[in-house]
Amino acid sequence: MPPCGIKRNIVSALPMRNILFLWGPRMLDKDITYCKNVGSRRADILRKELGVETAAELLEQYPFKYIDRSRFYYIHEIEDEDTFVQIKGTILEYHTMGIGRGQRMSAMFTDGQSQIELVWFKGIQYLKLQVGVPYLLFGKPSRFNRTYNFVHPELTPLEKVTPQMVSGLEPSYNTTERMKNSGLNSKAMRQIIAGLMPEVDRGLPETLQADILQRYHLMNRTEAMHQIHFPSDTRSMQKARERLKFEELFYNQLSILSRASARRLHTDGFKMTRVGEQFNYFYKHLLPFELTNAQKRVIKEIHADMKSGKQMNRLLQGDVGSGKTLVALMVALLVIDNGYQACIMAPTEILANQHLATLRELLKGSSVRVELLTGSTTKKQRAELLPALERGEINLLIGTHALIENAVQFANVGLVIVDEQHRFGVAQRAKLWEKAKGKTPPHVLVMTATPIPRTLAMTVYGDLQVSIIDELPPGRKPIQTYHYSNLRRKSINEFITKQVGLGRQIYVVYPLIQENEELDLADLENGYNTMVQTFPQFRISMVHGKMKAVDKDLQMRRFVSGETQILVATTVIEVGVNVPNASVMIVEDAQRFGLSQLHQLRGRVGRGADQSYCVLLTPAEMSAETRKRMDIMVATNDGFRIAEADLELRGPGDLDGTMQSGLALDFKIANLATDGQILQLARDAANAVLDDDPELATAYTQVYRDNLARLKPVVVEYREIS
């Protein structure tokens, strides 16, 4: 039985959902309906909009910012629309205008020196304004016709203003449109949270041992929960945020690392100790060029895992063109030399066929049998292939999702390689890995050409060993990247003509984004027609994901063979297409792509000896963020630097090429883009706990064991073999 009551068939990254529900006092377990200032109507809205059920979960709705309520402004001091202000004054007059939905209320407010208009469009029936009564006005000014006003400000009679309302930092809470329309704005959320503070102040059970609190100078949990919602000052608020971020990330890392520890302790693997005939023959006679030092290092790391007697679970990262496929082949040969089969699962038929062609070319002169299984494999071909696979006559099988079909049975699969692993669902990979006969699971190598930011790797793939190929093969010239306005079309066309005249081939990529599928497809087809009209002297192919597989493969083969000079495509060519003669990548509407995806597209060129180019085209007018992304692409070819920038700009939940569908990193307070240092400290702390007690079996680690056992996991990267 694995330690901590953790099921070994699920590997999860655990955002800290329901932490207080699990760890808090019983009063905080109560249904939100019975919380002060909530009631049944508000409770229904909170459940639907925020997914909260208990008082404890309400406390996890942390403020996203704080407003300094200790300062009072005069109207003439208002300088921008980004700052909340509060002003003491009175209403000179007010009146309503319009009827029905078009009704609004306008009031003139004065601080004794200047005047400003206040406007309400909603909830007018609830407003009870009084002329001449002193009010405290609070809100964010807006500007209309060069004049400031306030839309929907808060007005509180001065006699009802408490010292707490105007001292220190006031928390602001995220709310949805439906919540606001129902009166559950930030102020209402603040009142609800305030009603829970007496329960908090009675004391929350501590979730971190005293040595961790002391070593990392962390605030205790009760104080942190109070200070996060109602801070005494800025320093206390920051210390509270640090404490709660550390706690969230610590348990995330402890969960991941404890599962990896359990796997190492309890999961045996096939021993691949032999370096035999197939590997040696390939290395001495068939290897097309000298391996880079990075490739040699990675092969040694993988082999060390496979001969340890424990199951390997390793992530292989390598930038586009770094030689991951060659490493995968040589690792597969090690497995074959030990009497086992290997398989490679690719996300698309194009990539699977590319692997087949590449590996068969590399293995010419070898007795290794390599076959292909995809959705396009005919019944006749399957009738020959599947029995041969089950008899062990096929050494290396390459395929797509077809590999997980029940009819596909191996004799003794010892290694599973998953290429571009983020494109597969958890269940798909699990079914493939369960092809192993007996209780011993195959070794697992997952590969990606998408560099993964360090913080993301620690949270999503933190239980995998990581190998990185950080060198490009010798002779590769860095790709030159340029960013132009699409107003430069004439000079771009001249460049295309020149490059094709030199014998080169060109990719022209259009975005195809599902939300605007029909419009995007029209853009692609219009782009293709324009290219045909502009370059009648050249042969042009078009490829997109909506085409029939046979038509798509035909057009790709025409481009790969050099029959066509220009390929107009969507991101279907993002991964795996290898045409060394293609030296120009033109990306239309580049502002619609993420940085990581642009880097992947750029990696389709630069694979030959010729100088290659990437041209990013955007509208002349663009946002500051778009310009920043384009500048990053022009400045560097370093995929890891680009991935870090993408994480910082877009956040962890929206990174093309790094996040699989369904991945939920809904941390309540931690932010992977900005909290890398806290994450590393939390990981160090979790590792130290497991170094002393790998199975969390002692009385000292009881608190960690209990909390981990109760967490609700969000399944992310992969499912382990039972």
Side-chain angles (χ1 to χ4, degrees), residues 325 344-359 372 374 398-400 418-421 423-424 447 553 556 572 574-578 600 604 607:
T325 303
I344 300 176
M345 186 161 72
T348 66
E349 288 198 13
I350 290 175
L351 183 51
N353 277 286
Q354 185 79 55
H355 279 323
L356 178 71
T358 300
L359 297 185
L372 177 73
T374 70
I398 300 167
T400 56
V418 183
D419 197 10
E420 293 305 328
Q421 46 72 40
R423 294 179 173 235
F424 292 99
M447 304 196 302
D553 290 343
M556 283 302 309
V572 70
E574 175 187 349
V575 173
V577 179
N578 184 23
Q600 281 281 308
R604 295 308 99 208
R607 292 172 170 263

Side-chain angles (χ1 to χ4, degrees), residues 3 32 84 139-140 185 224 244 284 328 399 408 438 475 526 566 659 692 714:
I32 54 174
F84 280 89
K140 184 185 288 188
N185 54 17
L244 293 170
K284 293 175 182 177
V408 180
N526 289 337
I566 300 174
M659 307 300 278
D692 291 337
V714 178

Side-chain angles (χ1 to χ4, degrees), residues 385-591:
L385 187 150
L386 295 181
L389 181 69
E390 194 164 5
R391 290 193 299 267
E393 296 168 7
I394 296 172
N395 306 113
L396 177 57
L397 182 63
I398 300 167
T400 56
H401 301 78
L403 295 184
I404 67 176
E405 295 171 1
N406 291 332
V408 180
Q409 297 296 325
F410 292 82
N412 55 351
V413 61
L415 173 67
V416 169
I417 300 171
V418 183
D419 197 10
E420 293 305 328
Q421 46 72 40
H422 61 274
R423 294 179 173 235
F424 292 99
V426 174
Q428 293 169 327
R429 292 193 296 275
K431 285 189 70 175
L432 178 59
W433 300 346
E434 290 165 359
K435 297 288 183 180
K437 293 183 178 179
K439 295 183 178 180
T440 303
H443 296 296
V444 176
L445 180 67
V446 292
M447 304 196 302
T448 180
T450 304
I452 301 170
R454 184 180 63 88
T455 54
L456 202 59
M458 278 195 283
T459 48
V460 181
Y461 308 115
D463 59 331
L464 275 68
Q465 300 298 309
V466 179
S467 291
I468 299 175
I469 304 178
D470 51 9
E471 288 181 76
L472 291 178
R476 293 281 179 91
K477 296 179 180 178
I479 301 165
Q480 295 182 12
T481 303
Y482 300 94
H483 169 220
Y484 294 121
S485 156
N486 52 23
L487 300 177
R488 297 278 302 272
R489 188 71 60 183
K490 182 179 178 182
S491 60
I492 298 299
N493 290 341
E494 291 172 353
F495 176 67
I496 291 173
T497 301
K498 180 180 178 181
Q499 288 295 307
V500 176
L502 292 171
R504 314 285 183 260
Q505 289 171 276
I506 316 285
Y507 293 104
V508 181
V509 175
Y510 283 81
L512 183 55
I513 298 173
Q514 195 169 0
E515 287 82 354
N516 298 298
E517 196 170 88
E518 294 182 6
L519 177 62
D520 292 328
L521 193 56
D523 286 346
L524 173 74
E525 291 169 344
N526 289 337
Y528 172 77
N529 292 332
T530 299
M531 294 295 288
V532 169
Q533 294 169 10
T534 305
F535 304 105
Q537 71 275 34
F538 302 143
R539 294 181 299 278
I540 303 173
S541 293
M542 179 172 68
V543 173
H544 58 80
K546 295 296 178 182
M547 296 170 68
K548 293 181 179 178
V550 62
D551 295 333
K552 185 166 57 179
D553 290 343
L554 173 63
Q555 294 300 317
M556 283 302 309
R557 284 198 300 271
R558 291 181 66 201
F559 186 69
V560 171
S561 68
E563 183 182 343
T564 56
Q565 289 88 38
I566 300 174
L567 177 64
V568 178
T570 62
T571 55
V572 70
I573 57 94
E574 175 187 349
V575 173
V577 179
N578 184 23
V579 184
N581 191 53
S583 62
V584 179
M585 168 65 67
I586 296 174
V587 184
E588 297 279 355
D589 286 328
Q591 77 281 359

Side-chain angles (χ1 to χ4, degrees), residues 278-289 326 329 333 361-367:
Q278 299 295 352
F279 183 91
N280 287 323
Y281 182 81
F282 179 83
Y283 189 78
K284 293 175 182 177
H285 303 290
L286 302 180
L287 190 64
F289 47 78
L326 183 58
L329 172 59
L333 292 176
E361 181 66 27
L362 288 169
L363 289 168
K364 274 185 179 178
S366 166
S367 61

Side-chain angles (χ1 to χ4, degrees), residues 123-162:
I124 297 172
Q125 66 272 29
Y126 303 115
L127 289 174
K128 307 296 180 185
L129 302 183
Q130 293 179 278
V131 173
V133 171
Y135 282 100
L136 177 68
L137 179 150
F138 176 74
K140 184 185 288 188
S142 55
R143 195 164 184 166
F144 182 72
N145 286 339
R146 299 184 180 181
T147 302
Y148 285 108
N149 63 13
F150 284 92
V151 178
H152 289 278
E154 293 180 16
L155 280 181
T156 306
L158 273 182
E159 64 180 20
K160 295 184 178 180
V161 174
T162 65

Side-chain angles (χ1 to χ4, degrees), residues 622-638:
M622 71 191 84
S623 68
E625 181 180 320
T626 293
R627 181 168 294 282
K628 185 175 182 179
R629 286 193 287 124
M630 297 304 113
D631 289 346
I632 291 168
M633 287 297 299
V634 170
T636 183
N637 285 307
D638 185 336

Side-chain angles (χ1 to χ4, degrees), residues 14-146:
L14 298 170
M16 301 301 287
R17 301 191 64 176
N18 307 310
I19 295 303
L20 290 176
F21 172 74
L22 299 168
W23 295 335
R26 294 188 61 83
M27 286 300 292
L28 290 177
D29 294 350
K30 65 183 177 183
D31 187 288
I32 54 174
T33 304
Y34 306 107
C35 293
K36 186 178 180 181
N37 299 316
V38 179
S40 59
R41 186 182 68 85
R42 282 184 164 185
D44 287 341
I45 296 170
L46 289 169
R47 288 190 190 97
K48 291 175 182 176
E49 297 299 297
L50 300 180
V52 296
E53 296 285 348
T54 67
E57 290 174 339
L58 273 174
L59 282 173
E60 291 180 336
Q61 304 302 309
Y62 298 122
F64 72 97
K65 69 176 181 180
Y66 300 85
I67 299 164
D68 186 357
R69 293 296 298 263
S70 62
R71 179 183 173 184
F72 294 90
Y73 287 76
Y74 285 98
I75 293 172
H76 72 265
E77 292 180 301
I78 296 174
E79 296 179 346
D80 59 60
E81 301 178 58
D82 297 326
T83 304
F84 280 89
V85 300
Q86 56 186 4
I87 305 169
K88 294 178 181 178
T90 58
I91 292 174
L92 297 175
E93 59 178 359
Y94 66 91
H95 56 277
T96 58
M97 295 168 285
I99 58 174
R101 293 186 177 181
Q103 191 178 47
R104 68 175 185 145
M105 178 177 284
S106 173
M108 192 58 62
F109 185 86
T110 180
D111 61 5
Q113 299 181 15
S114 310
Q115 298 179 14
I116 195 167
E117 185 184 21
L118 316 182
V119 183
W120 292 268
F121 299 98
K122 299 176 183 178
I124 297 172
Q125 66 272 29
Y126 303 115
L127 289 174
K128 307 296 180 185
L129 302 183
Q130 293 179 278
V131 173
V133 171
Y135 282 100
L136 177 68
L137 179 150
F138 176 74
K140 184 185 288 188
S142 55
R143 195 164 184 166
F144 182 72
N145 286 339
R146 299 184 180 181

